[in-house]
Amino acid sequence: MAEFDTLKNDLLLRTARREQVERPPIWVMRQAGRYLPEYHEAKGDSDFFACCRSPEIASTITLQPIDRYDGLIDAAIIFSDILVIPQAMGMIVEMLDKKGPHFPNPLKSPTDGQYEQLMDRKVDVAHELDYVYQAITMTRHKLKGRVPLYGFCGAPWTLLCYMVEGGGSKLFVQVKTWIYKYPQQSKRLLQKIADLCVEYLALQVKAGAQIIQVFDSWAAELSPASFNEFALPYLRHISQHLPPRLKELGIESVPMVIFAKGAWYALDNLCNSGYHVVGLDWLQDPAEAVRIAKGRVVLQGNADPGVLYGGKEAITATVQNMVQGFGGGKQGWIANLGHGVTPFVDPDKLQFFFEEIHRLAKADNRPPPR
């Protein structure tokens, strides 16, 4: 591993280890992105995935919110995309303006020829995704220890959704057809993706990531029973196999975060899934989530990103509800949104959100939970 500057702000990592802290650490998903004017300057005329594949551009974009919100946020997250794994597997993925990710040739059925090619192909994530590792290492050097750096990947279920649907979906007809008509073939592919996720995350940590997050963005499309069959086993596979893989590489384990958007029904199971931190979306009440978690994990979240379109009073009320619900923030809570920053958000509104977390958490004098 490369040598990096000593970490000056380890608040988030201490929180992830369930230590008592002076205040809740703060960062937000998609904090580096298109809502920032400087993002568009750095991106220029480059295609989205071209930015991901350029370590220099990706590291520049990663640092933009750290510079803009200096002293207000406590982590960076590498600028990349969850769909780099399907790309590494040989599938073409495009990012279409005003539409989002698009697979020109999605999986049709287990007999379409492409399925067996994917299953038979030996995927070298060290080679195929080397640009991500380069970006991580470059970003760690540029950070100079200011805050820790998140690495991440998409969860197997969510990646399967994209690979079969060909992009985002409202009805998820194709992937529902797959799991209910071809359950065994679906599970074979989910397992292959899970194995790739383990290696990809391990190499991100080797490159310098200090904490990792798994994004299960389409978890809400599964029933509780289907989530337990087609999502949870593969999330557990990642959490169970990443630490020993890091040990094989001679690297210390790092905190692991799972964010299963919309899987409010699975919170109890997610607290037992092997992750240190469980991310919450805005559909879960903070106090109820604390009651269910019972101190087994650190919770991360969970303001509605839409509140950033509102006024300061709405933002203050949302933050107050989080600070109260999560017990004041002296232990067991990483402040975040309940999903990524959405387009057209005023960066100054996000700054006020950060400032209010600092202010209201400082004013909360409750002792940390035991």
Side-chain angles (χ1 to χ4, degrees):
M1 288 182 64
E3 292 292 326
F4 301 112
D5 290 347
T6 301
L7 185 60
K8 301 178 182 71
N9 177 357
D10 65 348
L11 178 65
L12 187 139
L13 298 183
R14 287 187 284 124
T15 301
R17 296 193 293 263
R18 282 203 51 77
E19 294 180 19
Q20 293 186 10
V21 291
E22 55 274 23
R23 64 170 176 83
I26 308 164
W27 73 284
V28 293
M29 293 174 278
R30 290 195 195 136
Q31 65 186 26
R34 53 187 170 172
Y35 76 101
L36 290 175
E38 54 265 41
Y39 164 81
H40 297 281
E41 293 175 12
K43 181 177 181 293
D45 296 328
S46 300
D47 167 79
F48 173 82
F49 282 114
C51 292
C52 294
R53 288 189 291 269
S54 166
E56 182 60 50
I57 296 177
S59 65
T60 295
I61 293 173
T62 299
L63 265 66
Q64 287 175 342
I66 305 303
D67 293 334
R68 175 182 278 264
Y69 303 117
D70 185 34
L72 291 176
I73 56 178
D74 301 292
I77 182 166
I78 194 66
F79 180 78
S80 186
D81 195 83
I82 63 173
L83 297 179
V84 297
I85 285 183
Q87 287 177 330
M89 296 175 73
M91 299 189 77
I92 297 173
V93 188
E94 305 165 339
M95 191 65 72
L96 302 182
D97 189 38
K98 298 180 181 179
K99 182 178 178 181
H102 172 66
F103 288 64
N105 186 28
L107 290 168
K108 300 294 185 184
S109 77
T111 59
D112 69 356
Q114 186 178 193
Y115 172 80
E116 285 302 334
Q117 288 178 0
L118 285 176
M119 294 305 304
D120 292 341
R121 183 179 181 188
K122 297 285 191 291
V123 182
D124 184 356
V125 292
H127 172 72
E128 297 289 345
L129 299 176
D130 182 60
Y131 59 87
V132 178
Y133 318 131
Q134 289 186 45
I136 288 172
T137 301
M138 185 179 294
T139 301
R140 278 292 305 276
H141 286 303
K142 289 182 179 181
L143 278 169
K144 297 184 183 300
R146 291 162 67 186
V147 294
L149 179 64
Y150 271 75
F152 70 91
C153 74
W157 160 250
T158 288
L159 296 182
L160 177 67
C161 287
Y162 279 111
M163 293 164 70
V164 171
E165 295 289 341
S169 176
K170 291 183 178 179
L171 299 178
F172 292 86
V173 172
Q174 303 306 321
V175 75
K176 295 296 181 73
T177 300
W178 268 77
I179 62 173
Y180 295 128
K181 191 173 183 178
Y182 315 117
Q184 295 310 313
Q185 293 94 330
S186 297
K187 290 175 182 178
R188 283 184 63 207
L189 183 51
L190 286 164
Q191 185 59 58
K192 184 180 181 78
I193 296 170
D195 289 335
L196 294 175
C197 287
V198 170
E199 187 66 10
Y200 179 45
L201 291 172
L203 294 177
Q204 288 187 56
V205 176
K206 182 180 180 182
Q210 293 151 290
I211 181 170
I212 63 91
Q213 179 159 318
V214 179
F215 286 86
D216 214 347
S217 306
W218 297 121
E221 300 306 318
L222 291 168
S223 69
S226 295
F227 182 85
N228 289 340
E229 184 175 1
F230 295 103
L232 188 59
Y234 307 99
L235 296 176
R236 283 183 169 147
H237 179 86
I238 294 170
S239 68
Q240 290 169 358
H241 289 80
L242 179 57
R245 178 59 182 135
L246 290 173
K247 187 175 182 180
E248 288 178 359
L249 294 171
I251 304 168
E252 290 186 11
S253 291
V254 299
M256 300 179 291
V257 186
I258 175 61
F259 175 62
K261 184 177 179 291
W264 55 268
Y265 54 81
L267 179 55
D268 186 54
N269 281 334
L270 289 170
C271 289
N272 290 328
S273 62
Y275 292 83
H276 307 92
V277 182
V278 174
L280 307 174
D281 62 32
W282 68 94
L283 300 180
Q284 293 187 299
D285 176 70
E288 177 64 10
V290 169
R291 186 191 67 79
I292 293 171
K294 297 176 182 175
R296 289 173 288 171
V297 296
V298 171
L299 297 173
Q300 176 178 277
N302 72 329
D304 180 355
V307 76
L308 299 175
Y309 296 127
K312 289 185 174 181
E313 288 186 4
I315 294 172
T316 297
T318 297
V319 172
Q320 184 71 63
N321 183 64
M322 286 199 302
V323 171
Q324 291 178 348
F326 288 117
K330 302 298 191 296
Q331 187 176 30
W333 175 42
I334 298 171
N336 205 309
L337 296 172
H339 196 34
V341 180
T342 45
F344 314 117
V345 160
D346 181 347
D348 291 340
K349 295 280 187 68
L350 185 57
Q351 178 168 328
F352 181 73
F353 173 75
F354 295 145
E355 290 170 344
E356 286 296 86
I357 296 172
H358 280 269
R359 182 180 71 85
L360 293 170
K362 183 178 180 180
D364 192 302
N365 296 316
R366 280 176 293 175
R370 293 189 179 276

